[in-house]
Amino acid sequence: MGKQVYWEDVQPGQEIPTLFKQTTTQQLVKYAGASGDFYQLHYDDAFARSTGLVGVIIHGALKNAFLGQLVTDWMGEQGVLKKLSVQYRGMDVPGDTLSCKGKVTGKRQADGQHLVELDIWLENGKGQTTTPGKATVALPSRQPVA
């Protein structure tokens, strides 16, 4: 986890550090075991190709987890991930370098919390966004809540 980020240090338009991921078929098998998602598209290359795909594909929920890691690594130990949502708009394959990225879109105070809104997304090695999403985090403040 990175150093602590405080609400006062964040500004709309600010990008958060990119998290790179390179999955393997072994990782997909491990993820299938951990998640219970044993759909063959994620580990059986012949089956995946029989459906018209180029080969096995990465679990959507694993990509969601990568984006969750992006946000939680950035916010620091005192931050709280309040909301995370993603959309699966493209398939990703093992071996490709995936870039998890994010940008601050807003900040506000509500219910005694210092909240930050983010656009987050996952890009494949071609720079195509395959998994866009949004996140809301509560960050600690150096100032007491008004």
Side-chain angles (χ1 to χ4, degrees), residues 16 31 41-42 46 87:
I16 67 175
Y31 185 77
L41 289 177
H42 304 301
Q87 298 176 346

Side-chain angles (χ1 to χ4, degrees), residues 28 38-44 47-48 51 53 55-58:
L28 297 185
F38 290 101
Y39 190 40
Q40 293 159 295
L41 289 177
H42 304 301
Y43 64 87
D44 185 334
F47 177 81
T51 67
L53 296 175
V56 297
I57 59 172
I58 299 172

Side-chain angles (χ1 to χ4, degrees), residues 127-138:
Q128 300 166 323
T129 299
T130 62
T131 313
K134 295 189 177 294
T136 304
V137 299

